[in-house]
Amino acid sequence: MRCVLLLLLSCLLLGASEPPPTSDIDRWVSFFNPDLYALAGRWPATPIVGAFDAPASDIARDTARATWLSLAVFLPFLVLPQVLLVWIIWKFRDRGDGRRAATFVGNHTLEIVWTAIPIIALVIVSVAIWDLVVKTELPPADQRRDMVVEVRGKSFAWDYKYQRLGGERPTRREDQIEIGQDVAGLQEPLVLVKGRRVILNLTSNDVLHAWWVPAFGVKKDTIKGRYTHTWFTPERTGFFKGQCAELCGQGHGIMLISALVVEEPEFALWVELQRRRAETVRTWTALAAREVDPAALDAAVAAYLERGADPWRLFALRYWMASNLLSWSRRPNEFPRDPDGTQATWIAARRALLEEAIARWQARGGPSTGS
Ligand SMILES: [Cu+2]
């Protein structure tokens, strides 16, 4: 009865009508962090795209449009003089008939024309991009429903703190999620909601960095000791890559950024997973040991489940162990290989150990026999 009530409560909280996707752990791990599946080797394989070909935010869309307009207006200024130059060189070439080149000094009409035309071009572009300039320089007036994230650059990774999740629900203290690098030190993606404006407050722990995701159309320096700000509204779901855009040291080239834009129900699921994450650390410590001690694993699983064994908590435990194992297995130098095993079999074996520990806990009768 208690489990059913907890499940109903979870469903209400999540706005979902279905039980948690317990049987589909791998799909959700890959959904929330595609980089973990991107490559069998060390480096994430998803490319950085989207500045002009597939903008994914309001700012990026407007920036792409402004860039194409500028190009269309200013390209003739690049092309026309070159065409004229080639034509004049050919037309007035030395024909060997002794004619001398004519010289001119000053032509007011010509000077007025070649001053006026660029001014008109600049005015056309300025008028067209005025709204975008204002939008990117002035903070949004009404931020009550916005997501607010603190972005912290450090050599050579990014930490994120969700100061506000945004949307209709007020953000509770436990919802102030902090993410950054996972158990294996791999950069975690920033997770955003389609259609929900996000305000980034950026700073740095050390040197200058710059948070740049081309598909969102924003690039902002992070500076130690002060905050810079930028904002945009993601308009497409998907996985978008970027990277540090301020030369910051030896690891600058691998200071990658990934951002995942999801719909509201998936974001609610992600929040629920994050809220339970810290509680899974003990189980992970037991499961990641070179030699798993079944007693220690049983104790860790019991400690976690005794605080609540509803399907969402079980889902969160399985999710984080699957995610951690996958990430951990991508450390080729430190990966604890079985003598004759592969990473996949190692992952499967560890997940089987977890399932056995859960089964033993359930066989013991759950919370009532745990104490
Ligand atoms: Cu850098």
Side-chain angles (χ1 to χ4, degrees), residues 31-111:
F31 179 82
F32 285 125
N33 197 347
D35 273 346
L36 287 180
Y37 283 85
L39 198 65
R42 287 188 67 164
W43 308 113
T46 40
I48 298 174
V49 294
F52 302 114
D53 52 329
S57 82
D58 54 339
I59 302 285
R61 180 168 39 78
D62 293 350
T63 306
R65 196 179 293 151
T67 306
W68 289 122
L69 174 76
S70 306
L71 194 66
V73 171
F74 295 131
L75 200 59
F77 291 88
L78 177 71
V79 173
L80 198 61
Q82 310 307 318
V83 171
L84 276 175
L85 186 65
V86 171
W87 179 68
I88 285 167
I89 288 172
W90 182 81
K91 182 172 170 58
F92 299 106
R93 68 189 183 279
D94 185 359
R95 296 168 194 262
D97 56 5
R99 283 196 288 181
R100 311 258 318 159
T103 54
F104 305 92
V105 178
N107 185 323
H108 285 169
T109 309
L110 199 57
E111 285 168 15

Side-chain angles (χ1 to χ4, degrees), residues 15-201:
S17 57
E18 294 177 3
T22 44
S23 60
D24 224 359
I25 301 291
D26 294 298
R27 190 173 81 78
W28 287 106
V29 172
S30 68
F31 179 82
F32 285 125
N33 197 347
D35 273 346
L36 287 180
Y37 283 85
L39 198 65
R42 287 188 67 164
W43 308 113
T46 40
I48 298 174
V49 294
F52 302 114
D53 52 329
S57 82
D58 54 339
I59 302 285
R61 180 168 39 78
D62 293 350
T63 306
R65 196 179 293 151
T67 306
W68 289 122
L69 174 76
S70 306
L71 194 66
V73 171
F74 295 131
L75 200 59
F77 291 88
L78 177 71
V79 173
L80 198 61
Q82 310 307 318
V83 171
L84 276 175
L85 186 65
V86 171
W87 179 68
I88 285 167
I89 288 172
W90 182 81
K91 182 172 170 58
F92 299 106
R93 68 189 183 279
D94 185 359
R95 296 168 194 262
D97 56 5
R99 283 196 288 181
R100 311 258 318 159
T103 54
F104 305 92
V105 178
N107 185 323
H108 285 169
T109 309
L110 199 57
E111 285 168 15
I112 288 168
V113 168
W114 77 36
T115 305
I117 291 175
I119 288 174
I120 292 168
L122 286 170
V123 168
I124 289 171
V125 172
S126 302
V127 168
I129 69 169
W130 179 258
D131 285 347
L132 176 61
V133 172
V134 171
K135 193 174 177 180
T136 52
E137 289 301 320
L138 287 182
D142 182 1
Q143 302 182 7
R144 279 173 296 180
R145 295 178 60 194
D146 293 348
M147 178 187 284
V148 181
V149 181
E150 183 191 87
V151 179
R152 192 170 280 275
K154 61 185 186 184
S155 302
F156 300 96
W158 304 92
D159 288 339
Y160 301 106
K161 181 177 181 184
Y162 287 76
Q163 296 167 321
R164 268 209 328 261
L165 299 181
E168 300 298 335
R169 273 198 298 152
T171 301
R172 297 164 295 181
R173 185 179 288 273
E174 62 265 34
D175 288 336
Q176 291 193 327
I177 296 159
E178 292 185 47
I179 59 170
Q181 295 79 59
D182 67 10
V183 290
L186 296 179
Q187 180 66 52
E188 295 176 330
L190 176 67
V191 179
L192 305 172
V193 184
K194 181 184 165 187
R196 180 175 301 172
R197 186 167 55 206
V198 58
I199 294 176
L200 301 181
N201 300 321

Side-chain angles (χ1 to χ4, degrees), residues 39 70 104 117 150 189 235 237 251 256-257 270 333 345 347 349 352:
L39 198 65
S70 306
F104 305 92
I117 291 175
E150 183 191 87
E235 291 185 330
T237 57
L256 297 171
I257 301 166
W270 181 80
N333 298 329
T345 56
I347 292 171

Side-chain angles (χ1 to χ4, degrees), residues 156 208-210 244-249 252 255:
F156 300 96
L208 292 183
H209 304 281
C244 177
E246 186 72 60
L247 187 58
C248 56
H252 170 67
M255 198 166 162

